[in-house]
């Protein structure tokens, strides 16, 4: 699942992007872009299936464990080492909470009471939150008429999805609020990373591996305090959690960094706009979730607004 480019995946470093290798070119970047969109789009379905057999914290812990294992394997193959320095690890601990432990847990709790389609659309609001926060926290970001218009259009789309004219009738307010808070957490973490970890000199893979490891440790402490040992181990929910971690949190990160290195962050972050479409299609087709007209219409409005808020970045790329 992606947000404002690197916000969802991990802490980026200032080290230059590696040159695209011949092996990487063997699979066209458009194919990898499509695979990444599918993986992150189906992640919301996998969360929903996982919560049908396990507690939300258990789903998140499993997701982080299997995602960390994938990155650990990639680091071993590339002979990467974990970053050093107490200061770096301190900042990574905060980043792990804001970009992984907190939003992953919130989405898992949210999908106990809301459809995976709604969770996927809430995720698409991250660029909107990101613009609001960047205008406040990052002095180099200045508002423009187009970006402000995009912000207004985007939140109008959110209200359309939620059915404001019906007084939010039939909507689980708590679950929806959790999903929106999860989406808000990503740009908060991204800005924190940009301010504190932008010049560490460590590779993306090393920083991401450390960040996911720390998030796993955080959930390993929290999960036993708030959940009990499962009375039975459902196979399908367990497989969903494994896929969510290995693919949605491990392989997807590696694919995204490859795309950023090859085609740049601006093109790579366009995957954000495909996620709610795929999440909605998967929820309706596979899980049989209901879909009113306001959901897809509102999603289109949200994505149009989010695209406008990112227009300045595209013009400079």
């Amino acid at each position: 699942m992606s947000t404002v480019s690197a916000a969802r995946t991990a802490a980026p470093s200032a080290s230059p992007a590696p040159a695209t290798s011949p092996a990487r070119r063997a699979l066209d970047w458009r194919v990898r872009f499509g695979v990444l969109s599918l993986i992150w789009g189906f992640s919301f379905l996998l969360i929903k299936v996982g919560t049908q057999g396990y507690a939300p914290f258990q789903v998140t812990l499993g997701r982080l464990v299997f995602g960390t294992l994938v990155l650990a394997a990639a680091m071993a193959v590339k002979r990467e080492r974990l970053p050093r320095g107490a200061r770096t690890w301190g900042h990574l601990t905060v980043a792990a909470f804001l970009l992984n432990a907190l939003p992953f847990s919130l989405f898992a709790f949210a999908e106990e009471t809301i459809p995976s389609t709604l969770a996927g659309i809430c995720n698409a609001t991250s660029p909107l939150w990101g613009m609001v926060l960047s205008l406040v926290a990052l002095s180099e970001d200045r508002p423009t008429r187009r970006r402000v218009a995009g912000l207004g259009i985007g939140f109008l789309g959110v209200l359309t999805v939620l059915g404001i004219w019906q007084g939010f009738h039939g909507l689980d307010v708590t679950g929806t609020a959790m999903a929106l808070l999860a989406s808000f957490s990503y740009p908060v973490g991204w800005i924190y990373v940009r301010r504190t970890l932008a010049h560490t000199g460590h590779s993306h893979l090393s920083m991401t591996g450390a960040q996911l490891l720390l998030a796993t440790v955080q959930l390993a402490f929290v999960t036993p305090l708030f959940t009990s040992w499962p009375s039975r181990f459902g196979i399908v929910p367990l497989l969903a959690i494994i896929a969510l971690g290995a693919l949605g949190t491990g392989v997807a990160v590696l694919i995204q960094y490859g795309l950023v290195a090859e085609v740049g962050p601006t093109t790579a972050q366009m995957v954000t706009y495909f996620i709610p479409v795929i999440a909605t299609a998967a929820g309706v087709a596979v899980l049989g979730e209901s879909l009113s007209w306001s959901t897809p219409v509102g999603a289109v409005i949200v994505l149009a607004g989010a695209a406008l808020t990112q227009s300045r970045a595209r013009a400079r790329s």
Side-chain angles (χ1 to χ4, degrees), residues 83-109:
R84 297 179 179 179
R87 184 183 182 87
T88 297
W89 280 88
H91 289 314
L92 281 172
T93 299
V94 178
F97 175 74
L98 293 173
L99 295 175
N100 302 113
L102 177 62
F104 290 180
S105 298
L106 286 172
F107 272 123
F109 274 102

Side-chain angles (χ1 to χ4, degrees), residues 161-214:
V161 170
L162 300 182
I164 186 174
W165 61 90
Q166 298 175 345
F168 307 121
H169 177 70
L171 181 73
D172 185 87
V173 176
T174 301
T176 304
M178 285 183 177
L180 290 173
L181 182 59
S183 302
F184 179 78
S185 179
Y186 291 127
V188 173
W190 171 69
I191 290 174
Y192 179 84
V193 163
R194 186 168 169 180
R195 283 182 170 274
T196 61
L197 291 167
H199 301 285
T200 63
H202 298 291
S203 71
H204 291 305
L205 181 57
S206 173
M207 297 289 279
T208 308
Q211 181 178 304
L212 285 182
L213 176 61
L214 288 167

